[in-house]
Amino acid sequence: MRRHQLRRRHHWALLSAAAAPGCSALIPLTSRYALRGGHATARSRSRRYAAPVTPRIDGTDGTEDDAPRTSAPHYPLAPPPVIEEGATHPAFAVDAPIQRRRPFGIPLIGRYVSYLEELWRADTVVKAHDNVEEVGQTTLGTRVATGVALGFIFSAWVFSTPSLFAAGHALQAIAAGLEYFRVAIIQGAAPARKIACTTTCVLMAVACHAPSMHELVFPLATTWMMVWLLLARRACSTIQDISTTLMGLVYTAYLPSWWVRLRCAPNWAVVKGTTFWFAPQLCHRGAQHVWWTCLSIACADIGAYFGGKRFGRHSLDKVGLGAAAKASPNKTTEGAVSGLVSAGLCSYVGAFFLRWPRPWLGFVYGAGVATIALVGDLTASMLKRDADVKDFGHLFPGHGGILDRLDSFFFVAPLAFCVLPRLAPPGAWVA
């Protein structure tokens, strides 16, 4: 009882002191007081502070007569910043530097996780537009060094185990999907990003471990997406929101999942040969065909770049490809032909090493792969042109984001899955 009375008396004393004009908003208190004879005796050495009192801004001191106060208002901590008319508050400045933390100790993992966090924060039009960091002008040496490093990483990835190959595809597909959704958000869409990321992981896992169920994942995911949009969101989704989500699933998840379906198919044979610890399935026939196909796509990009630089004279508009020319004005007809020839020659060499019955079909296959890869490249250019951005991201120095680097590979996957088992030598694909 005595303690309760002392506590109440102490609270009233605190409120009276806080209401006094000109008092500080931070009043140091001891945790337990014994008010005896008007003096406070501390029973503990711990110290706490009262909550800050918001100063009045109407020019009165809170008395009954509300007489105007002549002195300036009292700010206990620090005066607020003086903001000029039309200026932005420092707390909401979009050009303020952002300190990004690097999780984990491995640089590659830390860079990837930080990149995903950056993409996920772009959930509004303003954030998405300000979040795009373009690569800018880079030297040819930077592009070549990045390309060579990515080539070694990709080779080790293709010749790894099927589970690692599917997991790697899931990681790159999630980042590619978020890059695409960021561009769509700039245009005012509100895609269902959580549904898309979850569906991406399920697609890759099913394509690797249950290929017979692979075709059912996308229609089931579409139904799941519509249920979520109807029940989880408070406002009705627009046609733009729904179509953007579906396009993101097809473009960055469903099409690349056919690479997993092709690489991890149990029909491929494994021949005897030398393997390494970083490439345990170097003799896997499916991995070999996937590697040569992807190398042909890379050769198509390289041949088109240097061929266009050296021989480029006529834009794609000259051959009736008006929309393609507007999507990518720098591409030329000579560059496209150089890419087709480069991919055909690379695929012909691959068919010779893979012992195809008719190696000349490798050139035809390579030319077809280069054509479909050009479609993927122009599709990405059209999306960037519509959103008025130069690059999808900045993950790879000199190359941009994942979509900037892998846009040529997505549309080739279904073609490779349909053609390669029929062109492979006898015994490589067991039906």
Side-chain angles (χ1 to χ4, degrees):
M1 184 67 181
R2 176 64 178 172
R3 181 179 301 177
H4 180 66
Q5 292 177 353
L6 292 177
R7 187 173 299 172
R8 289 184 57 188
R9 191 177 304 172
H10 162 64
H11 288 169
W12 280 109
L14 174 62
L15 294 177
S16 301
C23 72
S24 176
L26 287 181
I27 306 172
L29 306 172
T30 55
S31 60
R32 297 178 182 177
Y33 283 99
L35 299 178
R36 297 176 182 175
H39 299 283
T41 304
R43 294 184 179 180
S44 174
R45 296 182 179 179
S46 61
R47 203 170 184 82
R48 56 198 176 103
Y49 293 85
V53 180
T54 304
R56 300 178 63 88
I57 60 176
D58 55 359
T60 62
D61 56 2
T63 58
E64 295 181 358
D65 54 353
D66 287 340
R69 186 172 53 190
T70 57
S71 61
H74 175 70
Y75 296 97
L77 298 180
V82 179
I83 305 175
E84 299 180 357
E85 185 177 357
T88 306
H89 194 281
F92 300 97
V94 296
D95 55 350
I98 301 176
Q99 299 294 334
R100 295 187 176 92
R101 59 185 179 89
R102 287 293 181 88
F104 310 105
I106 304 177
L108 290 178
I109 298 180
R111 183 178 179 85
Y112 176 79
V113 174
S114 300
Y115 188 65
L116 287 186
E117 291 177 351
E118 174 188 332
L119 294 173
W120 192 259
R121 284 194 299 265
D123 54 353
T124 61
V125 177
V126 177
K127 291 182 181 179
H129 192 276
D130 297 334
N131 191 265
V132 176
E133 181 179 343
E134 297 180 352
V135 176
Q137 298 294 332
T138 55
T139 62
L140 181 61
T142 302
R143 298 180 183 180
V144 172
T146 304
V148 172
L150 291 176
F152 280 108
I153 295 175
F154 177 79
S155 299
W157 174 37
V158 170
F159 292 109
S160 63
T161 61
S163 298
L164 288 178
F165 184 78
H169 254 291
L171 292 177
Q172 64 88 14
I174 289 175
L178 292 179
E179 288 177 350
Y180 168 77
F181 289 140
R182 179 170 62 178
V183 172
I185 291 173
I186 293 177
Q187 296 299 97
R193 298 188 297 173
K194 295 180 181 179
I195 301 294
C197 293
T198 306
T199 304
T200 299
C201 297
V202 175
L203 267 172
M204 301 305 172
V206 173
C208 178
H209 300 288
S212 60
M213 305 291 292
H214 175 239
E215 292 86 353
L216 296 177
V217 176
F218 185 75
L220 293 177
T222 304
T223 306
W224 179 29
M225 179 196 70
M226 295 308 305
V227 171
W228 187 85
L229 291 177
L230 291 172
L231 301 181
R233 287 189 174 181
R234 296 184 178 180
C236 292
S237 299
T238 63
I239 297 178
Q240 185 181 13
D241 301 339
I242 299 173
S243 59
T244 298
T245 306
L246 291 176
M247 178 61 185
L249 284 175
V250 173
Y251 184 42
T252 64
Y254 184 68
L255 291 178
S257 68
W258 287 97
W259 286 117
V260 180
R261 179 81 179 271
L262 175 64
R263 163 64 179 82
C264 303
N267 306 83
W268 292 108
V270 179
V271 297
K272 296 181 179 180
T274 305
T275 59
F276 303 93
W277 64 270
F278 56 86
Q281 294 197 349
L282 190 61
C283 299
H284 189 275
R285 302 295 278 174
Q288 293 173 354
H289 282 76
V290 169
W291 188 84
W292 276 104
T293 301
C294 294
L295 183 62
S296 300
I297 298 174
C299 289
D301 290 340
I302 297 173
Y305 177 79
F306 288 102
K309 283 280 187 180
R310 178 64 179 84
F311 305 105
R313 294 293 184 274
H314 304 85
S315 64
L316 297 179
D317 194 14
K318 300 297 182 180
V319 294
L321 301 177
K326 292 180 180 179
S328 185
N330 294 329
K331 285 185 171 55
T332 60
T333 306
E334 292 81 3
V337 174
S338 300
L340 295 180
V341 175
S342 301
L345 293 177
C346 179
S347 184
Y348 175 79
V349 175
F352 177 78
F353 281 102
L354 293 175
R355 299 180 180 179
W356 285 10
R358 292 178 289 275
W360 61 270
L361 288 177
F363 186 89
V364 179
Y365 172 72
V369 164
T371 304
I372 303 301
L374 180 61
V375 173
D377 193 357
L378 292 174
T379 301
S381 299
M382 182 170 55
L383 295 175
K384 290 185 289 185
R385 177 76 55 179
D386 183 52
D388 195 19
V389 296
K390 183 178 180 298
D391 302 300
F392 280 106
H394 57 91
L395 183 62
F396 304 128
H399 290 260
I402 290 183
L403 275 180
D404 297 297
R405 181 60 275 168
L406 301 181
D407 52 3
S408 303
F409 292 77
F410 291 166
F411 287 94
V412 179
L415 173 67
F417 181 82
C418 294
V419 174
L420 282 180
R422 294 168 173 80
L423 296 180
W429 177 271
V430 181

